[in-house]
Amino acid sequence: MYGGLCFRFRDQNPEVALEGPFLFPAAVAARGGQTAMAAVAANAADMAATAVDDREPQREAVPGLESQRRQIENGRGRPLQVGESWFLVGQHWYKQWEVYVQGGDRDSSTFPGCINNAELFEDQVNWRLKKGLVEGEDYVLLPAAAWHYLVNWYGLEHGQPPIERKVVELASIHKVEVYSVELLLVQHSDMDTPHTAQFSQTDSVDLVLHTAREQFLVSPQEETRLWIKNAEGSFERLCNTRVTVLDAALKTGQVVVMETRNKDGTWPSAQPRDTSTSEEEEDFQGQPGICGLTNLGNTCFMNSALQCLSNVPQLTEYFLKNRYLEELNFCNPLGMKGEIAQAYADLVKQAWSGHHRSIVPQVFKTKVGHFASQFLGYQQHDSQELLSFLLDGLHEDLNRVKKKEYVELCDAAGRPDQEVAQEAWQNHKRRNDSVIVDTFHGLFKSTLVCPDCGNVSVTFDPFCYLSVPLPVSHKRVMEVFFVSMDPRRKPEQHRLVVPKKGKISDLCVALAKHTGISPERMMVADVFSHRFYKIYQLEESLSSILDRDDIFIYEVSGRAAIGENSREDVVLPIYLRERTPARDYNSSYYGLMLFGHPLLVSVPRDRLSWDALYHILLYRLSRYVTRPSSDDEDDGDEKDLEDKDSLPKPGHVTEGSSQDPGLEQAGPSSRVVSGSRAPVDNSPGPSHWPQRARRKHLFTLHTVNSNGTSDRSTFNEDTHAQPYIAIDWEPEMKKRYYDEVEAEGYVKHDCVGYVLKKAPVQLQECIELFTTVETLEKENPWYCPTCKQHQLATKKLDLWMLPETLIIHLKRFSYTKFSREKLDTLVEFPIRDLDFSEFVIKPQNDSARELYKYDLIAVSNHYGGLRDGHCIRCVNRWRGHCGQWHYFDDSSVSPVTENQIESKAAYVLFYQRQDVARRLQTQASSSKPPASSACGAPPKSESMDVN
């Protein structure tokens, strides 16, 4: 460093030996009584001072040895501060220096010379520290100021770099990071050519990414991400680049892979290695945004919601320009660690790359199922439910508020609405600030009035979408089958219009208008699987009958008042069964299988015998059961009727017994033989038939349980159970005398062609209904602070502030305790100039009226009902294609005209405020070169064209 100058000290006398050229500065001779040793040392310090940076203290005269010792030791004793620099000095040189300064003699032979840390390095080329160095044995640590003092005073060995290290915080303890982290940086496309880079544990992962981008010459426009290779060979994403190398658990020697996004929006790592892309697909260049989504199995609801959301210009622009990368919130406990936002961004970039006809949203589906278990499988779901989850997930993943403060919700308490609304919105923004809030959140006013004390509570609450009700009809159309007592008449199918909240008696009254039969002579039953699932009471609600139920209404004989001497009929439920041989050849048991439609038959009480019942049933079945001819006459082996001269006493045939395992399933069939509904027989009975010789019986009769699955050999009068009678047929007899085709036949009444016409509804009517005063339900009362109790208060919602993009959800599904239905009412909604100025109660001036006009940009359609699927498709207008509307049916995309948009299937509407569209158009035109006049020409950049 000093031209090969060497110093040797013998017997306390300095002697200078010259090796090579030597230039002795004049400054050495000018130091008066200083010895040659001290003069050269001072000169060396002066020369070394020129190598230090701006943080070093200015060069000054070398202080005394005692002063040097105090300055250095005082510096070593200072506490460590995170991020500050400390330097390593070899233990051997430092001990030599301590001996020198403690001796107090400048002429001492213990002079340490230039700082030499050669013993700390593995080699003289890379200057890499030796492994396993120990503080106090191999080196000492000096703060930056002490290090610069020593370099000023003694110099640094030629060619040696200073060993600077940072103070880091490890496990709440401040330590000097002696060994930096050496990472092997590689590209995904070239895993065999690593680049070694050193990082402090306090450096951010973003610095690692920046270093890798510089090393591999990645342009600023290209998007990259990092992976780390674990010891077992697996790879893990480094999603949060804001954390430190220490927090990311990166270790020396670990491989960090940088991946660059493809031009088509995909990532190389996401492409299957066992499939090859055809040249046609690779060269495909379509319109950005006109891209289908493959149905993974009942995922049309997800595809529809994604297509609609992708058509919101400001949101898609936000993702395409990578602004979301700066706002990813990985520490939000309410979020999804940024994974939903990144998965959605990948989907948007692929759809808007213009390189795909359709894409497979498998990764996005997996992410959604991971954070929302209800979407895990491949069942049918609702697009609005997914949309609600997605908007909330994107908001929390992109929330700019990293730590949410506690905000107390305050009631208006008589203050002006303007003041309360501003306070509520500011409180909302203090905890929720994201692109979702900027785009979709609005504010409505909620007014609650206590019915007892009249206390009025006014609050302002944010909303992300409006769920508006549809005007509901108070009528209901029901289809039933009417079974007449006249055996010659086939059952009739009727379509009846009844009150939606009516009773069973209303159903009978409606049927009476078509048949002329008195409602008092009707009984209503739900028939399922050839048996009575339930026999209804007249006072029961119609809501307990579902649209899918098979309802039969039977004509029975007239009723008479109960009295000791009054005549009374019994209504018996009748099942039809067929004997089938058992599969066990060693058993003589015969199985029984139900078939046909069951009957409700009126039987006079005074004729309750098996023989009389047989003839009554034979008469009721005469339309499809042939009577035996004279050739079939037989002396009659009627052992089946022996000991069965009479049925159970009618006086004990009343309400069902809980001991009968089938009664509950059959429903409340009590009182089918009660006094208030006792039938009077008007049909031709056995007494009117000509008496002939005994004939072979076509079937046998048995008392069974309500399911018809087990016989009752005896009737226990103590159970008071309703008797169910089964008609059992032998297979040969059934084949010979029973006409199955005729038995299943029925006719349609003229009313079946009746369709309840529904007048179309205007969207404005739905919004008005949304703002109508309503009374809270019993399940959701309001706690009145004045009354100190829960009250069924009246509630009114008013719109105060509308968002840039307004989502309107039409509540087509109605759910009650007994029923669910979908409303297929046609809602007429404007495509342009939807004016909300009449609905917003916030004070307006004339110039602000244009801020309440909206244009339609997307519609999510719902096809099918509650039972036959949730096939949901999307219609939206891609603004980069001259405002052309497109119909997205999963992977298929086709253009449509405006007159094809409005339909009964419209479910979720997306409206954009007109001033926002103009703003985006201005930004787009000012930020890009003049476009071609051809509408079909695809934009060359990733940004959306909002022309």
Side-chain angles (χ1 to χ4, degrees):
M1 183 175 181
Y2 301 110
L5 178 64
C6 297
F7 299 96
R8 296 189 181 92
F9 301 96
R10 297 188 182 131
D11 300 327
Q12 303 295 325
N13 295 320
E15 178 179 312
V16 178
L18 299 181
E19 297 181 1
F22 172 69
L23 299 178
F24 198 86
V28 175
R31 293 188 183 272
Q34 284 187 338
T35 62
M37 175 201 68
V40 173
N43 182 67
D46 291 343
M47 296 178 66
T50 61
V52 300
D53 57 22
D54 296 337
R55 295 173 298 174
E56 301 173 14
Q58 294 183 355
R59 184 167 58 86
E60 58 184 14
V62 179
L65 300 182
E66 179 61 24
S67 178
Q68 290 183 35
R69 185 183 65 81
R70 286 197 305 268
Q71 290 186 46
I72 300 303
E73 290 185 353
N74 290 340
R76 289 187 63 189
R78 63 188 299 274
L80 301 177
Q81 301 293 331
V82 175
E84 68 177 358
S85 296
W86 284 62
F87 291 81
L88 275 69
V89 177
Q91 179 75 8
H92 178 74
W93 184 92
Y94 190 77
K95 286 296 182 183
Q96 182 70 21
W97 174 82
E98 283 187 328
V99 172
Y100 172 65
V101 295
Q102 287 175 0
D105 185 0
R106 289 181 180 271
D107 297 331
S108 172
S109 60
T110 59
F111 179 72
C114 298
I115 301 174
N116 189 350
N117 293 328
E119 59 186 3
L120 303 181
F121 296 107
E122 287 185 350
D123 55 69
Q124 303 284 323
V125 179
N126 295 321
W127 302 103
R128 183 173 299 168
L129 282 183
K130 292 180 180 179
K131 300 296 183 183
L133 296 179
V134 180
E135 182 182 4
E137 296 181 6
D138 302 302
Y139 65 88
V140 295
L141 289 170
L142 297 178
W147 164 260
H148 293 311
Y149 281 134
L150 290 178
V151 172
N152 270 327
W153 298 336
Y154 299 94
L156 180 62
E157 190 71 25
H158 177 64
Q160 286 189 10
I163 310 175
E164 181 181 5
R165 294 296 183 263
K166 297 289 186 180
V167 177
V168 298
E169 184 177 1
L170 301 175
S172 302
I173 300 176
H174 295 174
K175 295 181 179 180
V176 177
E177 184 185 27
V178 175
Y179 292 99
S180 55
V181 179
E182 294 184 358
L183 300 177
L184 302 178
L185 306 179
V186 297
Q187 283 184 295
H188 184 271
S189 57
D190 184 12
M191 302 280 286
D192 300 326
T193 309
H195 168 72
T196 303
Q198 295 186 353
F199 300 94
S200 168
Q201 294 185 78
T202 59
D203 290 336
S204 67
V205 175
D206 189 64
L207 178 62
V208 178
L209 178 60
H210 181 74
T211 304
R213 291 176 65 96
E214 286 186 341
Q215 174 64 29
F216 300 119
L217 304 177
V218 178
S219 65
Q221 292 76 22
E222 295 183 276
E223 188 178 351
T224 56
R225 63 182 184 181
L226 295 179
W227 298 78
I228 57 174
K229 186 176 182 181
N230 297 320
E232 62 272 13
S234 62
F235 291 88
E236 181 182 349
R237 273 280 313 277
L238 282 173
C239 299
N240 189 0
T241 60
R242 300 172 197 151
V243 300
T244 63
V245 171
L246 174 64
D247 294 333
L250 297 179
K251 306 295 182 183
T252 296
Q254 199 159 22
V255 177
V256 178
V257 184
M258 186 189 71
E259 183 183 19
T260 305
R261 190 189 290 272
N262 298 325
K263 292 182 179 180
D264 63 353
T266 61
W267 293 101
S269 61
Q271 296 177 343
R273 296 185 179 181
D274 56 346
T275 59
S276 57
T277 306
S278 65
E279 294 183 2
E280 181 183 357
E281 292 176 344
E282 289 181 350
D283 298 335
F284 175 76
Q285 182 65 41
Q287 295 294 339
I290 307 302
C291 177
L293 295 175
T294 302
N295 193 325
L296 305 175
N298 287 331
T299 58
C300 50
F301 72 96
M302 181 183 74
N303 294 348
S304 180
L306 289 174
Q307 293 286 17
C308 287
L309 204 60
S310 172
N311 197 53
V312 178
Q314 59 269 49
L315 182 64
T316 300
E317 190 85 358
Y318 171 86
F319 282 99
L320 291 181
K321 291 190 173 180
N322 292 333
R323 291 200 292 266
Y324 75 99
L325 294 174
E326 304 172 0
E327 298 182 348
L328 284 171
N329 192 334
F330 298 98
C331 57
N332 187 354
L334 300 179
M336 288 82 174
K337 300 180 181 179
E339 295 184 29
I340 287 294
Q342 293 182 87
Y344 178 76
D346 290 345
L347 206 66
V348 169
K349 287 177 179 291
Q350 293 178 48
W352 287 84
S353 67
H355 292 278
H356 301 279
R357 290 184 176 88
S358 65
I359 56 180
V360 182
Q362 181 65 60
V363 176
F364 181 83
K365 170 72 169 60
T366 304
K367 288 293 182 185
V368 170
H370 176 71
F371 292 103
S373 58
Q374 66 268 30
F375 301 115
L376 255 180
Y378 294 91
Q379 295 82 16
Q380 296 168 345
H381 292 284
D382 189 276
S383 65
Q384 190 272 334
E385 293 178 0
L386 179 81
L387 185 65
S388 176
F389 163 78
L390 183 55
L391 289 174
D392 184 65
L394 290 176
H395 161 64
E396 296 297 353
D397 273 359
L398 300 170
N399 199 344
R400 304 177 186 112
V401 180
K402 306 305 179 186
K403 186 177 181 181
K404 295 188 177 184
E405 57 181 305
Y406 171 76
V407 175
E408 185 175 356
L409 300 178
C410 299
D411 193 84
R415 293 180 294 164
D417 286 350
Q418 194 87 10
E419 176 185 343
V420 181
Q422 184 177 2
E423 178 186 276
W425 184 250
Q426 289 176 350
N427 288 340
H428 178 61
K429 293 279 286 185
R430 283 163 62 186
R431 293 174 54 87
N432 305 277
D433 185 14
S434 69
V435 65
I436 302 299
V437 175
D438 300 339
T439 308
F440 299 102
H441 281 207
L443 200 67
F444 59 68
K445 176 184 177 182
S446 175
T447 305
L448 289 165
V449 180
C450 178
D452 289 349
C453 66
N455 177 42
V456 179
S457 172
V458 176
T459 58
F460 287 82
D461 305 304
F463 67 87
C464 189
Y465 52 86
L466 295 180
S467 289
V468 298
L470 273 63
V472 179
S473 172
H474 298 291
K475 298 292 183 180
R476 177 184 178 186
V477 177
M478 298 182 66
E479 291 188 358
V480 300
F481 289 91
F482 173 68
V483 181
S484 172
M485 288 181 61
D486 186 351
R488 295 167 297 180
R489 295 178 58 183
K490 291 183 178 181
E492 293 179 344
Q493 184 182 14
H494 290 257
R495 180 171 291 172
L496 308 175
V497 179
V498 295
K500 183 170 291 187
K501 296 183 179 180
K503 299 179 180 180
I504 299 296
S505 57
D506 296 319
L507 188 63
C508 297
V509 171
L511 181 62
K513 296 178 182 178
H514 294 181
T515 62
I517 304 298
S518 171
E520 295 297 318
R521 298 180 58 187
M522 296 180 185
M523 294 188 65
V524 182
D526 182 359
V527 176
F528 175 74
S529 188
H530 311 292
R531 59 173 58 91
F532 290 112
Y533 183 79
K534 184 174 183 179
I535 300 176
Y536 292 95
Q537 301 282 340
L538 289 175
E539 297 302 316
E540 288 189 68
S541 173
L542 282 176
S543 60
S544 60
I545 299 180
L546 305 182
D547 291 335
R548 64 174 180 266
D549 293 342
D550 293 325
I551 301 301
F552 283 73
I553 300 181
Y554 296 87
E555 179 189 4
V556 293
S557 59
R559 277 77 170 172
I562 285 185
E564 293 182 0
N565 299 322
S566 65
R567 186 180 175 201
E568 185 181 356
D569 286 7
V570 179
V571 179
L572 295 177
I574 307 297
Y575 291 153
L576 285 81
R577 302 192 302 184
E578 179 182 3
R579 293 184 181 275
T580 57
R583 295 182 180 180
D584 186 359
Y585 299 103
N586 297 325
S587 174
S588 60
Y589 172 80
Y590 281 80
L592 291 167
M593 182 177 64
L594 289 169
F595 71 94
H597 297 302
L599 294 172
L600 288 178
V601 178
S602 302
V603 179
R605 273 189 189 276
D606 54 1
R607 300 178 191 174
L608 278 181
S609 67
W610 290 109
D611 187 62
L613 180 60
Y614 174 83
H615 290 287
I616 291 175
L617 294 178
L618 194 62
Y619 171 75
R620 286 296 302 270
L621 302 176
S622 60
R623 181 171 58 86
Y624 46 90
V625 173
T626 306
R627 290 179 178 273
S629 63
S630 58
D631 297 334
D632 298 326
E633 291 183 2
D634 191 91
D635 289 340
D637 181 12
E638 300 188 22
K639 59 182 179 180
D640 291 324
L641 295 180
E642 292 178 2
D643 300 327
K644 296 183 179 179
D645 293 335
S646 62
L647 284 171
K649 296 179 181 180
H652 297 281
V653 183
T654 56
E655 297 193 6
S657 169
S658 60
Q659 299 177 13
D660 185 347
L663 280 178
E664 284 191 8
Q665 184 178 357
S669 58
S670 61
R671 297 189 179 89
V672 295
V673 294
S674 64
S676 60
R677 301 178 66 173
V680 176
D681 182 25
N682 295 324
S683 61
S687 59
H688 299 90
W689 299 341
Q691 299 298 320
R692 302 184 61 181
R694 290 181 176 179
R695 296 182 179 182
K696 180 180 293 185
H697 278 245
L698 303 182
F699 47 80
T700 58
L701 303 176
H702 295 86
T703 306
V704 295
N705 66 356
S706 60
N707 283 330
T709 55
S710 60
D711 294 350
R712 286 180 167 182
S713 57
T714 59
F715 177 72
N716 187 356
E717 296 183 358
D718 296 333
T719 62
H720 304 290
Q722 165 69 48
Y724 284 73
I725 307 300
I727 299 176
D728 291 347
W729 290 82
E730 295 292 341
E732 289 299 325
M733 299 295 287
K734 177 175 178 287
K735 183 178 180 180
R736 185 174 181 181
Y737 297 104
Y738 187 90
D739 187 347
E740 292 189 11
V741 176
E742 182 66 22
E744 297 294 328
Y746 67 95
V747 295
K748 292 185 178 182
H749 190 268
D750 293 340
C751 64
V752 174
Y754 173 79
V755 177
L756 184 62
K757 294 184 179 180
K758 298 180 180 178
V761 175
Q762 300 296 321
L763 179 60
Q764 289 84 342
E765 296 180 48
C766 302
I767 300 173
E768 288 178 359
L769 197 59
F770 175 79
T771 58
T772 302
V773 178
E774 62 177 354
T775 303
L776 297 180
E777 299 176 349
K778 294 181 179 180
E779 296 79 10
N780 187 28
W782 171 64
Y783 182 79
C784 177
T786 304
C787 300
K788 304 297 182 182
Q789 60 182 353
H790 289 88
Q791 300 283 3
L792 299 181
T794 58
K795 182 178 182 179
K796 188 178 190 303
L797 295 177
D798 293 294
L799 300 177
W800 180 267
M801 183 179 70
L802 297 181
E804 293 183 350
T805 300
L806 179 62
I807 302 176
I808 301 178
H809 164 226
L810 303 178
K811 299 173 68 173
R812 290 195 175 274
F813 298 98
S814 174
Y815 299 93
T816 65
K817 185 177 181 181
F818 299 102
S819 64
R820 301 186 305 167
E821 65 174 329
K822 178 190 174 183
L823 305 176
D824 58 353
T825 307
L826 174 62
V827 178
E828 296 179 344
F829 47 87
I831 296 178
R832 297 181 183 87
D833 298 325
L834 174 59
D835 192 353
F836 275 91
S837 58
E838 60 178 304
F839 300 107
V840 177
I841 64 172
K842 181 179 180 180
Q844 312 167 23
N845 51 47
D846 294 337
S847 61
R849 292 184 65 86
E850 62 178 6
L851 298 179
Y852 301 100
K853 288 188 176 182
Y854 286 77
D855 292 337
L856 187 71
I857 60 174
V859 182
S860 176
N861 290 333
H862 184 288
Y863 297 93
L866 293 170
R867 298 182 62 188
D868 53 357
H870 292 254
C871 191
I872 306 171
R873 297 173 177 88
C874 168
V875 183
N876 68 34
R877 176 174 58 182
W878 181 64
R879 292 181 167 272
H881 197 248
C882 295
Q884 173 67 52
W885 286 88
H886 285 80
Y887 183 80
F888 291 80
D889 185 359
D890 291 330
S891 57
S892 175
V893 183
S894 57
V896 294
T897 59
E898 284 191 0
N899 57 7
Q900 296 176 282
I901 298 172
E902 195 174 83
S903 71
K904 293 182 179 181
Y907 186 46
V908 183
L909 311 176
F910 285 70
Y911 279 93
Q912 185 181 66
R913 211 166 61 202
Q914 291 182 350
D915 69 302
V916 176
R918 288 193 296 269
R919 183 191 71 203
L920 294 174
Q921 179 181 357
T922 303
Q923 293 175 354
S925 60
S926 62
S927 62
K928 69 175 183 179
S932 171
S933 59
C935 291
K940 296 182 180 180
S941 64
E942 281 190 322
S943 62
M944 291 178 59
D945 186 354
V946 292
N947 184 15

